[in-house]
Amino acid sequence: MRELKSKVVEEVNKRRDELIEEVRKLLKMPSISGSGEGIKETASYLKEWISERIGAKTTLLTYGGHPIVYGRLDVGAEKTVILYNMYDVQPVEPLELWEAPPFEARIVGDKIIARGAYNTKGALMSSLLGVEILSRIDRIPVNLVFVLEGEEELGSPSMPKFVEDKFDELKKADLVYFAFPSERVRGKPTIVLGNKGIVFIELRTRVSKYDVHSSFSRGLYNPAAVLAKIASHLIDPLEGPRIPWLEEKAVGPTEEDLKYLKDIEEASPAEELLSLYGVFKPRLSGRDWYIAVYFKPTVNIDGFSSGYTGPGTKTITPAEAVMRLDFRLVPNIEPEDVIKGLQDLVKRLGLSDLVEIDVKDS
Amino acid sequence: MRELKSKVVEEVNKRRDELIEEVRKLLKMPSISGSGEGIKETASYLKEWISERIGAKTTLLTYGGHPIVYGRLDVGAEKTVILYNMYDVQPVEPLELWEAPPFEARIVGDKIIARGAYNTKGALMSSLLGVEILSRIDRIPVNLVFVLEGEEELGSPSMPKFVEDKFDELKKADLVYFAFPSERVRGKPTIVLGNKGIVFIELRTRVSKYDVHSSFSRGLYNPAAVLAKIASHLIDPLEGPRIPWLEEKAVGPTEEDLKYLKDIEEASPAEELLSLYGVFKPRLSGRDWYIAVYFKPTVNIDGFSSGYTGPGTKTITPAEAVMRLDFRLVPNIEPEDVIKGLQDLVKRLGLSDLVEIDVKDS
């Protein structure tokens, strides 16, 4: 095994420049699931790549949305591993904050700057190259199933249908591996043993066809005020989430979970993360941070938009307001719990008539 | 007087097409004070127009911002009238909602569609043409002072300096007239006997340099939640403004004010206004509407923006949030009351460290 590892390292070092260019080639392809830009091209490219370079039988499956690259490589081994990954990325706006264009894949120092370089097209192509190298210098010791979806950033709407469709083949696998390489501290790779679920919800209030001159505001409903009220009942700005209907049901952290806390603290130091994002002051720190972030359900405002906040002033009562929320789930919480709890809250506040709740993903 | 009126009407009818084109000419000039677009050109155009067509001595005055068109016409009369107006307009966004380009001044039916057609470049040029016609067919019976500012939509920051500068000349006037013609019910012109003051404030919360992946949200301050909390303490979505520190100080409506209520109801029917803006359901109606809208202090959310609400989903804890408020004042309330009350509220909520308060106009 040690011998194999050094052979792999040797091969990687030998082909270093070429491997980096392979990764950059994928990063240069836009694949924004929100707008659909470049999705088809990227899916086809990956299908061909896996087929030609690894020899797997590949196909594109669609279930009403963007294609899933599906591939199988049967080497007659006892064990089977599913390599799950995603080839889509988030929107690139605001563009002016980019140090380099998001699909140039510019090399700056020892990093590649690109939308998806980290999450997760960089990891995806690196792991595919890893499989190819292994197959060349030795052999792949397990049967492989490739599942690369293009809708992860939309909440994976096609995945349940895919799993149902291919359940008989998928259930034979012994392990599902999602290559999302992270080495926040050199030499301490992050291995995530599970993931939180997510429910993404849009709330919308529309009170008029056009914006109204603000001199009439006192006789009108203000749509931003309607959603702000709901927001203030979901999140206390200082105390954090106010989601008793989820907190009560939530299980964990368990004794076993807590045993891993020290590992998490060492492999994913909060300080490093906060400095990466330029957080001025976190709401929590120390052990509180780790327990809250890794083991508790959450509610977050992802976006809030109403009226005008551009140059100059515009004195209006806006026609509408939009708020986007994501809830992240922990064991024992189902998407329905989130939705029901939110509907109940809006009703309790007397705002059901004014607010439209649209569950975008769960 | 009756004879003069019919002469004026006759002249207006004779020159109808030409007069409409004069109004359209001004409407076609962009003059957006927020961005500064077209401001200089419009000010110069008006200065020349008033000088050539009415014979007034005109000049452009600047006090650090956009110019004020200032003019004097002394006809040796006993009384002097100040004609105040504004030549600037609000921003034109969102462009996709315009039936015709905002500076085309397209005629549709019996209306001209343009940014500022109603508020108030249409009224401005119409009243200047009225003065010109009067001077041609008879004589102007009062001395005139023209004060046309280009910063009304920004809250008139130069006006206090202008009034101080020209106070000796201005104080001789017997009346200030602001032509903002409105005939909501045919034959019932609106005459406004006073105007509310305004304070325009921007609140900003910035918690990080970049947006943070929302899986970490529970350990962070959410900037939209910070401002939403403040909003929910300023406006109850159903009950309206929560500004006890202003309500207590506010004077009015007085007995005299209430005597005009019937006139207001007849000249400015709320139903007509609400249908104009396409309001689905107002918060108040009947007498409550009129008293609240015309005689009470207000707080309004003009804009709220945080994170991303565009196509697709983006799961982030936004780096910052912005909220814009306007407060409208009634007798006995000073801008300082508004600002102090808001600062106190933010402090009482424990959010002073997280929120920056910027008084943009007052």
Side-chain angles (χ1 to χ4, degrees):
Chain A
M1 184 74 179
R2 186 165 296 179
E3 199 195 341
L4 179 60
K5 191 184 158 189
S6 29
K7 274 189 193 165
V8 169
V9 170
E10 193 185 323
E11 177 79 2
V12 168
N13 284 334
K14 205 167 70 193
R15 292 174 55 192
R16 189 186 162 84
D17 290 351
E18 175 215 330
L19 295 174
I20 289 172
E21 284 314 304
E22 276 294 334
V23 172
R24 288 185 71 210
K25 207 166 158 189
L26 183 66
L27 294 177
K28 285 178 184 177
M29 307 179 82
S31 54
I32 307 170
S33 47
S35 63
E37 190 188 345
I39 285 288
K40 276 187 187 162
E41 294 78 359
T42 310
S44 299
Y45 176 79
L46 286 167
K47 173 179 171 293
E48 294 305 314
W49 201 100
I50 293 169
S51 162
E52 284 171 20
R53 304 278 286 252
I54 300 178
K57 280 180 197 155
T58 53
T59 179
L60 295 181
L61 303 173
T62 50
Y63 299 87
H66 300 324
I68 293 168
V69 182
Y70 186 59
R72 303 185 64 83
L73 180 75
D74 194 337
V75 297
E78 206 179 307
K79 303 273 185 184
T80 297
V81 172
I82 297 174
L83 295 181
Y84 164 86
N85 219 313
M86 54 198 264
Y87 63 85
D88 65 320
V89 299
Q90 294 218 349
V92 294
E93 291 82 12
L95 277 169
E96 66 273 19
L97 295 182
W98 282 89
E99 208 177 308
F103 298 111
E104 182 185 310
R106 186 185 295 175
I107 296 175
V108 176
D110 61 351
K111 291 183 181 63
I112 303 175
I113 295 179
R115 187 43 130 187
Y118 171 67
N119 177 7
T120 56
K121 280 159 74 182
L124 164 58
M125 186 45 81
S126 302
S127 65
L128 291 179
L129 287 163
V131 172
E132 192 214 12
I133 288 175
L134 201 59
S135 74
R136 282 197 194 185
I137 63 177
D138 190 351
R139 59 178 187 86
I140 298 168
V142 291
N143 306 314
L144 290 176
V145 178
F146 297 88
V147 179
L148 311 181
E149 69 157 319
E151 299 181 321
E152 202 274 349
E153 300 296 0
L154 304 177
S156 306
S158 294
M159 282 304 278
K161 299 171 208 162
F162 161 73
V163 172
E164 201 180 322
D165 183 22
K166 297 289 176 191
F167 191 65
D168 285 344
E169 295 177 14
L170 297 171
K171 74 178 178 190
K172 290 178 200 151
D174 301 273
L175 182 79
V176 180
Y177 176 62
F178 176 17
F180 196 119
S182 164
E183 197 186 69
R184 295 206 175 109
V185 176
R186 196 171 278 271
K188 287 216 178 275
T190 308
I191 298 173
V192 181
L193 302 172
N195 253 315
K196 285 180 178 178
I198 190 169
V199 178
F200 195 88
I201 296 178
E202 182 176 280
L203 303 182
R204 191 177 286 268
T205 295
R206 190 164 181 83
V207 295
S208 53
K209 213 165 150 190
Y210 307 105
D211 297 337
V212 183
H213 194 278
S214 80
S215 58
F216 302 107
S217 70
R218 194 161 172 142
L220 302 168
Y221 296 108
N222 185 299
V226 171
L227 298 187
K229 174 86 169 185
I230 296 168
S232 75
H233 275 260
L234 285 169
I235 305 177
D236 182 281
L238 299 174
E239 300 299 320
R242 296 172 68 187
I243 40 176
W245 74 93
L246 295 182
E247 308 276 1
E248 276 161 24
K249 268 200 90 182
V251 171
T254 62
E255 285 299 313
E256 208 193 338
D257 288 337
L258 291 174
K259 278 200 300 191
Y260 290 109
L261 250 189
K262 216 169 138 8
D263 288 342
I264 294 176
E265 289 178 20
E266 280 178 18
S268 301
E271 301 71 32
E272 192 258 11
L273 180 101
L274 296 169
S275 118
L276 181 75
Y277 285 114
V279 174
F280 302 133
K281 187 174 170 262
R283 197 177 63 79
L284 299 177
S285 60
R287 186 143 276 222
D288 290 342
W289 162 277
Y290 291 98
I291 289 179
V293 165
Y294 290 91
F295 300 113
K296 294 288 182 185
T298 66
V299 53
N300 174 60
I301 303 172
D302 300 85
F304 194 126
S305 170
S306 185
Y308 179 81
T309 56
T313 60
K314 197 169 175 182
T315 47
I316 49 164
T317 298
E320 73 172 347
V322 180
M323 176 166 69
R324 295 212 178 143
L325 303 171
D326 78 87
F327 293 81
R328 286 176 187 263
L329 316 184
V330 296
N332 205 36
I333 296 182
E334 296 298 323
E336 291 68 36
D337 299 327
V338 169
I339 299 161
K340 178 72 168 41
L342 182 63
Q343 286 167 337
D344 286 350
L345 172 67
V346 172
K347 198 172 167 188
R348 204 165 65 244
L349 296 174
L351 300 173
S352 301
D353 288 351
L354 287 165
V355 177
E356 205 176 293
I357 301 178
D358 181 16
V359 180
K360 293 181 86 96
D361 310 301
S362 70
Chain B
M1 185 71 180
R2 188 165 296 178
E3 200 194 342
L4 179 60
K5 191 184 157 188
S6 31
K7 275 189 194 163
V8 169
V9 169
E10 194 185 322
E11 176 80 1
V12 167
N13 284 333
K14 205 168 70 192
R15 292 174 55 191
R16 189 186 160 84
D17 290 352
E18 175 215 328
L19 296 174
I20 290 171
E21 284 314 304
E22 276 292 335
V23 173
R24 287 185 70 209
K25 208 165 155 188
L26 183 66
L27 294 178
K28 285 178 185 178
M29 308 180 81
S31 55
I32 306 170
S33 47
S35 63
E37 189 188 345
I39 284 291
K40 276 187 186 163
E41 293 79 359
T42 310
S44 299
Y45 175 79
L46 286 167
K47 174 179 170 292
E48 294 305 315
W49 200 101
I50 292 168
S51 163
E52 284 170 21
R53 303 278 287 251
I54 300 177
K57 282 181 194 152
T58 54
T59 177
L60 295 182
L61 303 173
T62 49
Y63 299 87
H66 300 324
I68 293 168
V69 182
Y70 185 59
R72 304 185 63 85
L73 179 74
D74 195 338
V75 297
E78 206 179 305
K79 302 275 185 185
T80 297
V81 172
I82 296 174
L83 295 181
Y84 163 85
N85 220 313
M86 55 199 262
Y87 64 84
D88 65 322
V89 297
Q90 294 218 349
V92 295
E93 291 81 11
L95 277 169
E96 66 275 16
L97 294 183
W98 282 89
E99 208 177 307
F103 298 111
E104 182 185 310
R106 185 185 296 176
I107 297 176
V108 176
D110 61 350
K111 293 182 178 64
I112 302 174
I113 296 179
R115 187 43 130 191
Y118 172 67
N119 176 7
T120 57
K121 280 159 74 181
L124 164 58
M125 185 44 80
S126 303
S127 65
L128 292 179
L129 288 164
V131 172
E132 191 213 14
I133 286 174
L134 202 59
S135 74
R136 282 198 194 183
I137 62 177
D138 191 352
R139 59 180 186 84
I140 297 169
V142 291
N143 305 316
L144 289 176
V145 178
F146 297 87
V147 179
L148 312 181
E149 69 157 319
E151 299 181 321
E152 201 277 348
E153 301 296 0
L154 304 179
S156 305
S158 292
M159 282 304 278
K161 298 172 208 163
F162 161 74
V163 171
E164 201 180 323
D165 184 22
K166 298 289 176 192
F167 190 66
D168 285 343
E169 295 176 15
L170 296 172
K171 73 177 175 190
K172 291 176 199 151
D174 301 273
L175 182 78
V176 181
Y177 176 62
F178 176 17
F180 196 118
S182 164
E183 197 186 68
R184 293 207 176 109
V185 175
R186 196 171 278 272
K188 287 213 178 276
T190 308
I191 298 172
V192 181
L193 302 173
N195 254 315
K196 287 179 176 178
I198 190 168
V199 179
F200 196 87
I201 296 178
E202 182 176 280
L203 303 181
R204 193 176 283 268
T205 295
R206 191 166 179 84
V207 294
S208 53
K209 213 166 153 192
Y210 308 105
D211 298 336
V212 183
H213 194 279
S214 80
S215 58
F216 302 107
S217 70
R218 195 161 174 141
L220 302 167
Y221 296 108
N222 183 299
V226 171
L227 298 186
K229 174 87 169 185
I230 296 168
S232 76
H233 274 261
L234 287 168
I235 305 177
D236 181 281
L238 299 174
E239 300 298 321
R242 297 173 68 186
I243 40 178
W245 73 95
L246 296 181
E247 307 276 1
E248 276 161 25
K249 267 199 93 182
V251 171
T254 62
E255 286 299 312
E256 206 193 340
D257 288 337
L258 290 175
K259 278 201 298 191
Y260 290 108
L261 249 190
K262 218 171 137 3
D263 288 341
I264 294 176
E265 288 178 20
E266 279 176 19
S268 301
E271 301 71 31
E272 193 258 10
L273 179 101
L274 296 170
S275 117
L276 181 76
Y277 285 116
V279 174
F280 303 133
K281 188 175 170 260
R283 197 177 65 77
L284 299 177
S285 59
R287 187 141 276 223
D288 290 344
W289 163 275
Y290 292 97
I291 291 181
V293 165
Y294 289 91
F295 300 113
K296 294 289 183 185
T298 67
V299 53
N300 174 61
I301 303 172
D302 300 86
F304 195 127
S305 169
S306 184
Y308 179 81
T309 56
T313 61
K314 197 169 174 182
T315 46
I316 48 164
T317 297
E320 75 172 344
V322 180
M323 177 166 67
R324 295 211 178 144
L325 303 171
D326 77 87
F327 292 80
R328 285 176 187 264
L329 315 184
V330 296
N332 206 38
I333 296 183
E334 295 299 324
E336 292 67 35
D337 300 327
V338 169
I339 299 160
K340 178 72 168 43
L342 182 64
Q343 285 168 336
D344 286 349
L345 172 67
V346 172
K347 197 172 169 189
R348 205 165 64 245
L349 295 175
L351 300 173
S352 302
D353 287 350
L354 288 165
V355 178
E356 205 176 293
I357 299 178
D358 181 17
V359 180
K360 293 182 86 96
D361 311 301
S362 69

